[in-house]
Amino acid sequence: MRTYLVTGGAGFIGSNFIHYMLNKYGKEIRIINVDKLTYAGNLENLRDVEDLDNYSFVRADICDSAAIEEIFRKNDIDVVVHFAAESHVDRSIRNPEVFVKTNVLGTLVMLNNAKASWELSDGTFKEGKRFLHVSTDEVYGSLEEDGGYFYETTPYAPHSPYSASKASSDMLVKSYMDTYKFPANITNCSNNYGPYQFPEKLIPLIINNALNGKKLPVYGDGKNVRDWLYVMDHAKAIDMVINKGRLFETYNVGGHNEKQNIEIINIILDTLQEMLPDGDPRKAHINKDLITYVEDRKGHDRRYAIAPDKIKSEIGWEPETMFKEGIKLTIKWYFEHEDWMKNVTSGDYVNYYAEMYKNK
Ligand code: NAD
Ligand code: TYD
């Protein structure tokens, strides 16, 4: 029975990954989820698995080396899947410090504890151990509107404090692979969307605001391009890299779903109209008049686009969920989880939203 230590499992991608893995492998695996439960971590995301014998939760900060060491001491961890991070670019522009602490120092703590637990006296590592570092395509910087893709060989050129902190964490993982032959992989994925995403990110923010008749803030000219991937396709890619990826390699994850932000917003508005039942009062206010162009994000990257050639040819992974289908699944999930949205949009988020969008 393989034991996975998942960091940040109470967040958006981490919780989807845990669902994916428990669904796929059932009792064949054990998952320990370690999460600090910041504003972005929510145990409600895992309510349906919390009573399983092969799932457990530890509340800890990944920067707290003693707490992480204890988890490794008490459990024979086979695979670390490292999601825990501060993940929102706008927050990083306001407060970079916590990004460096969690994303850089926290990753170092995870690496050191995995290394100490897995290393043999001759400096090699126990058979079958693996550290999967989950990263982003934003480390590669920004592409021109009219061409080019991010490959694994593209030089790093991060622009935001968020992407700079993720780039630093990637570099630390690379240095451990190069220096110690530490058994790891890095995945650099494009923008995810799907269930359980916190409504500070574009897609859930637009869905929530539109349903509530609130303005839909578009940064700049709305023509920035992101390469959107349905979150379960990402979960599948991570599982495949763990099982089939060559150690020490980086794999880019994403591809073929490039859209301008304004296109995304229009698709969401059309899909909401299509999916809401006739007579639903919200149908009356969901329209393009809600779209509001606001001041651009500082240092706003123009375009991200992944070339998934390597993961496709080496591992056989490719995106399966087309945007039209994925956005329907996502909107359906938000329709069915209004309480989840109410809970996460109370408290801290209300203050964040008022502060962040006050001049926009
Ligand atoms: P998220 O913000 O939804 O979740 C992050 C989780 O990490 C939360 O549960 C939070 O409580 C936890 N966490 C934060 N600081 C912690 C700390 N110090 N100790 C322990 N736990 C802590 O993020 P997400 O969107 O699920 O992203 C997960 C990972 O995937 C991140 O590393 C991110 O960089 C990467 N990524 C995200 C995207 C995307 O589109 N969301 C795309 C590519 C890569
Ligand atoms: P976001 O979801 O924050 O992801 P990232 O910045 O990591 O790509 O933003 C996606 C795109 O949407 C990005 O170009 C910024 C833009 N955006 C808006 O136009 N309005 C908003 O309110 C938000 C949150 C984002």
Side-chain angles (χ1 to χ4, degrees):
M1 191 179 188
R2 229 182 195 184
T3 299
Y4 289 76
L5 178 60
V6 174
T7 73
F12 162 49
I13 307 176
S15 59
N16 277 287
F17 176 75
I18 290 174
H19 283 121
Y20 177 84
M21 294 297 280
L22 289 172
N23 218 3
K24 177 165 179 197
Y25 294 104
K27 300 270 175 204
E28 281 171 43
I29 61 165
R30 191 159 78 97
I31 292 184
I32 302 166
N33 171 17
V34 56
D35 197 300
K36 182 181 177 181
L37 299 182
T38 66
Y39 77 92
N42 184 353
L43 288 181
E44 239 183 284
N45 300 0
L46 295 156
R47 186 143 296 160
D48 52 335
V49 301
E50 69 188 7
D51 292 331
L52 297 176
D53 301 339
N54 56 334
Y55 166 80
S56 57
F57 172 69
V58 179
R59 184 169 191 179
D61 186 332
I62 55 164
C63 299
D64 178 351
S65 193
I68 302 300
E69 198 257 320
E70 192 181 331
I71 300 174
F72 275 95
R73 192 162 25 84
K74 289 188 174 159
N75 303 280
D76 182 14
I77 305 292
D78 297 301
V79 181
V80 173
V81 191
H82 179 38
F83 293 99
E86 288 291 335
S87 68
H88 189 40
V89 173
D90 293 321
R91 287 187 190 249
S92 83
I93 294 167
R94 297 214 141 200
N95 179 19
E97 206 170 309
V98 67
F99 283 73
V100 174
K101 276 196 188 131
T102 290
N103 299 2
V104 186
L105 293 178
T107 299
L108 185 69
V109 166
M110 292 308 302
L111 287 168
N112 279 340
N113 280 290
K115 178 172 174 289
S117 167
W118 295 344
E119 198 168 22
L120 298 166
S121 52
D122 65 357
T124 62
F125 289 87
K126 292 179 190 164
E127 196 59 38
K129 307 294 185 187
R130 200 182 280 241
F131 189 104
L132 189 297
H133 177 63
V134 180
S135 192
T136 165
D137 60 356
E138 303 190 26
V139 298
Y140 298 120
S142 183
L143 293 163
E144 295 298 321
E145 257 164 29
D146 55 353
Y149 291 94
F150 295 139
Y151 291 89
E152 288 78 0
T153 48
T154 303
Y156 276 28
H159 295 129
S160 72
Y162 163 66
S163 53
S165 68
K166 291 297 291 187
S168 309
S169 67
D170 292 12
M171 292 300 178
L172 279 171
V173 179
K174 285 176 200 275
S175 78
Y176 272 55
M177 295 194 280
D178 291 347
T179 307
Y180 309 111
K181 296 283 169 284
F182 178 74
N185 288 107
I186 299 171
T187 52
N188 293 92
C189 189
S190 61
N191 286 60
N192 284 214
Y193 68 100
Y196 303 108
Q197 189 167 29
F198 196 83
E200 64 188 356
K201 303 279 168 61
L202 181 71
I203 288 182
L205 186 142
I206 296 300
I207 295 172
N208 188 42
N209 281 16
L211 286 172
N212 290 297
K214 285 165 69 176
K215 289 198 272 184
L216 311 178
V218 184
Y219 298 169
D221 66 1
K223 292 186 178 159
N224 299 66
V225 171
R226 299 292 183 263
D227 181 359
W228 294 94
L229 182 70
Y230 190 61
V231 63
M232 280 300 177
D233 284 351
H234 186 189
K236 183 173 181 182
I238 291 171
D239 178 39
M240 289 177 81
V241 170
I242 291 166
N243 286 296
K244 296 188 185 168
R246 284 183 296 135
L247 274 180
F248 316 122
E249 293 294 319
T250 288
Y251 294 94
N252 282 354
V253 184
H256 316 311
N257 244 325
E258 284 181 58
K259 298 226 174 324
Q260 293 181 340
N261 296 334
I262 191 67
E263 282 180 75
I264 295 284
I265 293 170
N266 283 319
I267 294 171
I268 291 173
L269 290 174
D270 292 345
T271 314
L272 284 170
Q273 278 296 348
E274 198 184 302
M275 290 177 71
L276 280 169
D278 287 338
D280 189 303
R282 292 171 296 186
K283 273 184 112 110
H285 67 237
I286 294 177
N287 60 56
K288 298 193 184 346
D289 293 343
L290 295 175
I291 294 174
T292 312
Y293 286 86
V294 299
E295 185 194 330
D296 206 356
R297 174 186 280 171
K298 289 185 172 60
H300 198 174
D301 286 337
R302 193 63 177 167
R303 174 172 164 256
Y304 302 144
I306 288 276
D309 306 15
K310 180 173 172 183
I311 192 167
K312 185 175 177 191
S313 64
E314 280 193 18
I315 297 183
W317 178 91
E318 55 186 327
E320 286 172 22
T321 315
M322 287 300 102
F323 192 76
K324 232 176 145 43
E325 181 195 344
I327 199 68
K328 280 192 183 151
L329 292 171
T330 305
I331 289 175
K332 183 167 181 289
W333 187 88
Y334 283 101
F335 280 167
E336 288 166 356
H337 293 81
E338 281 181 9
D339 284 350
W340 181 94
M341 187 58 96
K342 275 197 194 108
N343 289 345
V344 301
T345 50
S346 57
D348 174 58
Y349 183 71
V350 177
N351 302 330
Y352 163 83
Y353 196 85
E355 182 61 24
M356 192 66 89
Y357 289 86
K358 73 174 176 226
N359 298 322
K360 292 187 172 175

